[in-house]
Amino acid sequence: ILGIDTDGYKGLVQDPILVRALDDFKVTNVKVQIFSAAQVLLEEGDAVETGNTIDWTYLAKTVNPDLPGTTIKAIAMDLPGNKTVLEITL
């Protein structure tokens, strides 16, 4: 996982979170999890691959009014089934 872009994420429903994932093999799935500052899982789901095969977009499903301390975790899986995890804290 090369990075997680949260510039568009303001804690509202449908706010985008962009994950950039690249692999020697093909990345087949990217899951995004959003945790509150207290490390409570607020939501999780699959990101959707964009046309360039590197960027994946996740649209938030839950309102998160308390952004500071929120953790965004991205989990990417490649064709052989290997997983990579990256998390950032807002």
Side-chain angles (χ1 to χ4, degrees):
I1 299 175
L2 302 175
I4 300 172
D5 181 353
T6 59
D7 288 347
Y9 181 66
K10 307 299 181 204
L12 301 175
V13 173
Q14 296 294 308
D15 280 355
I17 295 172
L18 179 73
V19 178
R20 182 158 274 191
L22 182 64
D23 189 78
D24 295 345
F25 297 99
K26 179 175 175 29
V27 175
T28 58
N29 180 273
V30 175
K31 181 180 291 282
V32 173
Q33 298 175 324
I34 302 175
F35 294 87
S36 70
Q39 293 305 303
V40 174
L41 179 64
L42 300 175
E43 67 176 280
E44 68 180 329
D46 293 327
V48 176
E49 184 179 7
T50 63
N52 67 9
T53 71
I54 295 173
D55 294 324
W56 296 70
T57 302
Y58 177 78
L59 298 178
K61 300 180 203 110
T62 306
V63 173
N64 178 10
D66 220 4
L67 286 183
T70 295
T71 299
I72 309 292
K73 182 186 285 189
I75 304 154
M77 183 177 289
D78 68 8
L79 196 56
N82 300 310
K83 290 183 182 179
T84 301
V85 178
L86 177 65
E87 64 180 58
I88 61 168
T89 301
L90 305 180

